[in-house]
Amino acid sequence: MSRLLAAALTVVAAAVLAVGAARGIVALLDATPDQPNTPLITYEQAGQGS
């Protein structure tokens, strides 16, 4: 019985740890600011009339 209890507690502890790690990762990803979407290279547009 003690082995079954130890296994159940290990499973519960692992599940709690996994959920906590997932929530921490999501919190870190939400904390990072969005990067601006500005192009590094811009090209001059040619004249439209030809």
Side-chain angles (χ1 to χ4, degrees):
M1 183 69 179
S2 64
R3 284 187 179 182
L4 183 61
L5 181 62
L9 288 176
T10 303
V11 168
V12 169
V16 169
L17 186 62
V19 169
R23 290 179 62 97
I25 290 171
V26 169
L28 283 176
L29 289 175
D30 285 341
T32 58
D34 291 334
Q35 298 296 320
N37 191 12
T38 56
L40 296 177
I41 300 173
T42 56
Y43 296 99
E44 296 289 328
Q45 295 222 350
Q48 295 293 329
S50 56

